[in-house]
Amino acid sequence: PTWAATMTEPMSPARRRFQKARRVVVKVGTSVVTREDGTIALGRLASLVEQIAELVDSGKQVALVASGAIGIGQARLMEQAMLSRSIRSALHMDGYNETQLAGTITDAALIGAREVNMLASAPSRAAAGQGGLMGLYDTLFSQYGITCGQVLVTERDFSSDARRRRVRSTLEVMLQVGTVPVINENDVLSVPDRRKLFSDNDSLAVLVATELKSDVLMLGSDVPGIFRGPPEPGQPPDVLPVVTRSTPLSFGAKSARGRGGMQAKVDAALTALERGVSAVVIFSGFEPLGVLRILKGEALGTLLLTDSEAKLEMAALQAAKPAAPLPPRAPPEPPDDPAALAAAVA
């Protein structure tokens, strides 16, 4: 890596163990991989792929849980609707002059875009965008000589023992040969009202990390970690370094582009710990080289631990802090008696 961690505090014992992690599950949310207009954030996506490639090259196994197909599909369907309506309008405009024709085509294109916004369901947008999203991942990973593979799952794939074993064996083979699975919910086939096991990609990442017995689960978000409470306007957020089930928290509004929000992330992370995942970190997906830095032990984001682990963590950190220096010794008071002073000098 080209970065260097600069930490004045002792390294967390739990974070130090990240350096030896062999199997990692990284989840990035919609707000990380897309821009405000719903299109793919190519710079962030390329950076994420580069970091994962570096981890794979170092011998680690990485599974990626990521979304973005609906955003790509929305843009593609709008473009197609605008183009189709414009062409149909042009074909039926015999006798119109050039100005009238241009105006009619523009109106038709706008109507087509509005139709997509009103009529296109999440399944149709996902279907239109899934191919483009995987094509993008394939192109980026191939620059580093790494193969990625798409794994789309539904609730039934985890509620059935046979299907769950099949998913697990598929992922195991992909990881062992150095392939990066790109995992997402199959929005075309999923029935949102019937979800019980997972409601968003955070809880899906927990299921994946549990099945794979992951050493670290990393949940990327659009905020730097878990806040002690909603930040005051104009004030920096108070990011908690460690959170447990007993930590009192207050949550604000969820991201406009995400499905779960921070409360869903925290619940999913704590559930992962209870199911045997070794460590969970919630961090900002906008942080430069965030994945690599966390796995080097840098104190980015919020580390989630069980209550018992948190007590051991605090004890270890306290023991690792250097003892406070003794105050300087004060000089002796001069004697008041002039004779004694002269004797002391002599």
Side-chain angles (χ1 to χ4, degrees):
T2 57
W3 53 270
T6 56
M7 293 178 288
T8 57
E9 294 294 320
M11 185 183 293
S12 153
R15 289 182 180 270
R16 187 181 296 113
R17 291 196 296 269
F18 293 176
Q19 299 174 356
K20 298 181 180 180
R22 177 173 174 269
R23 179 168 289 181
V24 181
V25 174
V26 179
K27 179 266 175 183
V28 286
T30 302
S31 57
V32 174
V33 298
T34 62
R35 301 186 299 178
E36 290 289 343
D37 60 1
T39 57
I40 290 295
L42 288 174
R44 289 196 292 271
L45 197 63
S47 174
L48 175 66
V49 168
E50 184 176 8
Q51 293 176 75
I52 292 175
E54 185 169 327
L55 293 176
V56 173
D57 287 342
S58 70
K60 298 185 186 298
Q61 299 175 349
V62 186
L64 175 63
V65 179
S67 53
I70 290 179
I72 290 181
Q74 172 80 1
R76 286 192 165 193
L77 289 176
M78 288 182 66
E79 290 172 3
Q80 187 63 49
M82 293 167 67
L83 179 62
S84 298
R85 271 193 168 269
S86 300
I87 292 174
R88 288 198 302 270
S89 298
L91 293 176
H92 294 86
M93 291 297 131
D94 293 337
Y96 278 57
N97 61 40
E98 187 173 328
T99 302
Q100 291 172 319
L101 182 60
T104 303
I105 291 176
T106 300
D107 291 342
L110 293 174
I111 292 171
R114 284 197 297 269
E115 283 181 347
V116 170
N117 282 326
M118 291 187 297
L119 301 177
S121 62
S124 61
R125 295 196 295 267
Q130 200 63 247
L133 180 63
M134 279 310 300
L136 184 57
Y137 277 119
D138 186 64
T139 299
L140 292 172
F141 275 113
S142 67
Q143 303 305 306
Y144 304 96
I146 293 174
T147 298
C148 65
Q150 183 181 50
V151 181
L152 297 177
V153 296
T154 65
E155 179 116 351
R156 292 182 60 192
D157 296 316
F158 293 95
S159 59
S160 162
D161 289 340
R163 294 169 74 101
R164 189 174 67 253
R165 286 195 298 268
R166 189 174 184 87
V167 170
R168 183 173 62 245
S169 64
T170 300
L171 295 176
E172 287 282 358
V173 171
M174 295 176 73
L175 291 173
Q176 288 171 13
V177 300
T179 297
V180 176
V182 180
I183 307 159
N184 194 11
E185 182 180 9
N186 190 335
D187 291 304
V188 177
L189 299 179
S190 295
V191 183
D193 296 340
R194 298 180 183 176
R195 290 193 187 104
K196 294 181 180 179
L197 294 178
F198 67 90
S199 57
D200 53 28
N201 273 2
D202 294 310
S203 45
L204 172 58
V206 169
L207 291 174
V208 171
T210 303
E211 289 296 325
L212 294 177
K213 296 180 172 57
S214 172
D215 298 312
V216 183
L217 169 60
M218 306 172 68
L219 301 176
S221 181
D222 55 358
V223 292
I226 303 173
F227 301 162
R228 196 176 301 276
E232 296 294 330
Q235 297 296 319
D238 184 8
V239 179
L240 292 166
V242 176
V243 163
T244 70
R245 181 70 76 179
S246 60
T247 305
L249 299 171
S250 176
F251 298 100
K254 75 180 187 67
S255 166
R257 286 173 286 161
R259 198 161 67 190
M262 183 54 70
Q263 184 168 2
K265 284 180 175 58
V266 173
D267 290 341
L270 294 172
T271 300
L273 294 172
E274 292 162 358
R275 292 180 179 178
V277 176
S278 301
V280 184
V281 177
I282 295 178
F283 71 106
S284 171
F286 301 103
E287 191 72 41
L289 300 178
V291 172
L292 291 176
R293 291 162 64 190
I294 288 171
L295 289 178
K296 286 291 184 179
E298 189 170 340
L300 289 179
T302 298
L303 175 64
L304 290 101
L305 299 172
T306 62
D307 287 309
S308 58
E309 288 174 332
K311 290 178 182 178
L312 295 174
E313 180 87 357
M314 295 305 295
L317 287 175
Q318 192 65 33
K321 287 184 177 180
L326 294 173
R329 187 175 180 179
E333 293 289 334
D336 296 331
D337 184 2
L341 176 61
V345 171

